[in-house]
Amino acid sequence: MAEIGKDINKAKQLLASGELVAIPTETVYGLAANALNTDAVTRIFEAKNRPVFDPLIVHVSSLKGAGLFVRNVPDIAHELADTFWPGPLTLLLEKTSLIPDLVTSGLSHVGIRSPRHPLTRALLKELDFPLAAPSANPFGYISPTTAGHVQDQLGGKLAYILDGGACEIGIESTIVGFRNGKAVVYRRGGLQIEDIAEITGEVSLDINASSNPKAPGQLASHYAPRKKLVTGELDALLAAHLHQKVGVLSFQKKYDVPFQITLSPDGDLAEAARKFFSALRTLDHASVDIILAEYVPDVGLGRAINDRLRRASHQGA
Ligand code: TXA
Ligand code: MG
């Protein structure tokens, strides 16, 4: 099992020698390695069992810190970074040759993000290389929002888990690229599109669900529990599964079944986002045969939660 602690120096030394370290961010925990070391990056793909066509996000302490790794940064990317970094926003920027092709799966652009968790910020400031880090879960499974989640899933495959407590936002960063000088959102996440649009004006969306590897980050099935997950209207779902041991994931209402989690009795979407992956994981580990879940209101952060619910419940390829 991996050691868990708050020792930034230890994390630094391990990363500098090419080892994997889990890092806390405000979104989810990341499985980090030196982004400039292809052997270390290869270990990330191996530990997660992640296909190499799925590129990694590179974490830096600031856009300035990304200076050598990206070029032709559009003005609106600068404005977005100035406004929302550190924070739950990943920018797709043209990469220089310093970023190994393995990191971007051969794509010309690299995902760059400046996370705002204080421990990870302190670590990044100590390092003289950026950190490639996908979410610290086995490929396709529920994302981790505590150090314990990382330990449960990947504990045997990494050296150290930097423990920063439970993640403040709980769902991944919003991914934004640029086409003809305009912002394009590729993944909904912790930063809302309305907030981005205030800076950039018109924002287009390119969020399809696909099993086609050419559409990285948009796999139809993702974030999934091991148990079957069915989404819909909960009363109807409960009636249809009367003879099964069900786990219920609801937004506001309580249900009278042994295994149920309410995301936010007050209807607070930020609270729901914070609890979402953890709740799904708890139900996945409970003694139930099937998980029934309802969508949350499809506004603001709710859209990012619903995107994950949709992919987590996707059946088949
Ligand atoms: O909040 C987050 O973004 C977390 C924390 C750890 O920073 N990271 C994260 O990484 O969610 P990951 O690997 O689980 O998801 C990143 C997604 C992937 O689906 C990947 O396909 C997409 O971002 N992505 C990364 N680089 C890309 C690129 N150059 N072009 C298009 N999509 C990219
Ligand atoms: Mg992930």
Side-chain angles (χ1 to χ4, degrees):
M1 282 301 175
E3 188 184 336
I4 302 183
K6 296 181 192 296
D7 187 344
I8 287 173
N9 264 321
K10 176 153 199 167
K12 175 184 172 182
Q13 270 150 27
L14 288 164
L15 288 163
S17 58
E19 301 284 330
L20 302 184
V21 171
I23 54 167
T25 84
E26 72 280 24
T27 60
V28 300
Y29 274 72
L31 180 63
N34 177 351
L36 309 181
N37 175 339
T38 47
D39 290 340
V41 173
T42 300
R43 280 192 202 113
I44 294 180
F45 285 96
E46 286 169 356
K48 278 187 63 104
N49 211 356
R50 179 178 176 115
V52 288
F53 62 70
D54 198 4
L56 306 179
I57 293 173
V58 171
H59 297 69
V60 296
S61 61
S62 64
L63 189 54
K64 227 178 181 179
L68 295 172
F69 310 121
V70 294
R71 63 181 161 211
N72 300 326
V73 177
D75 288 344
I76 56 171
H78 277 283
E79 287 171 38
L80 286 173
D82 286 346
T83 313
F84 298 115
W85 278 5
L89 168 69
T90 293
L91 298 173
L92 299 180
L93 301 172
E94 191 179 325
K95 82 177 192 72
T96 66
S97 59
L98 288 178
I99 296 289
D101 289 330
L102 180 62
V103 169
T104 60
S105 306
L107 297 171
S108 58
H109 287 57
V110 58
I112 302 265
R113 167 163 129 75
S114 179
R116 79 168 171 235
H117 193 290
L119 263 187
T120 291
R121 292 199 68 67
L123 173 64
L124 283 168
K125 284 189 182 131
E126 286 282 316
L127 299 175
D128 53 12
F129 49 83
L131 292 176
S135 51
N137 50 305
F139 182 68
Y141 190 63
I142 304 168
S143 302
T145 54
T146 68
H149 294 162
V150 180
Q151 181 77 297
D152 286 350
Q153 300 183 145
L154 293 177
K157 299 186 171 172
L158 75 170
Y160 192 62
I161 302 171
L162 200 54
D163 186 357
C167 297
E168 172 200 341
I169 294 177
I171 51 177
E172 291 85 348
S173 61
T174 303
I175 300 182
V176 176
F178 304 93
R179 228 185 265 146
N180 305 323
K182 296 239 164 68
V184 183
V185 169
Y186 291 94
R187 177 176 72 180
R188 292 184 191 279
L191 180 64
Q192 294 175 42
I193 293 176
E194 294 76 5
D195 294 333
I196 294 169
E198 272 190 29
I199 305 299
T200 64
E202 184 197 341
V203 174
S204 53
L205 292 180
D206 190 350
I207 305 171
N208 35 37
S210 167
S211 51
N212 174 1
K214 278 190 217 126
Q218 302 180 342
L219 294 169
S221 172
H222 214 82
Y223 313 110
R226 311 254 183 250
K227 301 244 166 83
K228 186 172 178 193
L229 169 67
V230 181
T231 47
E233 204 274 308
L234 281 176
D235 290 310
L237 287 177
L238 278 164
H241 293 87
L242 268 185
H243 304 295
Q244 274 176 290
K245 282 167 83 180
V246 299
V248 170
L249 183 63
S250 67
F251 178 46
Q252 283 188 267
K253 267 172 53 184
K254 274 195 123 3
Y255 285 81
D256 190 18
V257 293
F259 296 100
Q260 90 110 56
I261 297 176
T262 303
L263 288 174
S264 175
D266 296 334
D268 174 359
L269 287 167
E271 181 186 16
R274 204 154 53 231
K275 288 194 194 157
F276 174 70
F277 280 130
S278 189
L280 204 52
R281 182 183 297 264
T282 300
L283 292 173
D284 202 23
H285 290 151
S287 92
V288 300
D289 303 322
I290 187 169
I291 303 168
L292 310 178
E294 67 179 348
Y295 289 104
V296 302
D298 209 35
V299 292
L301 266 183
R303 291 177 186 243
I305 300 173
N306 287 340
D307 169 83
R308 281 146 185 82
L309 255 181
R310 214 167 288 124
R311 293 176 208 263
S313 60
H314 182 85
Q315 307 286 316

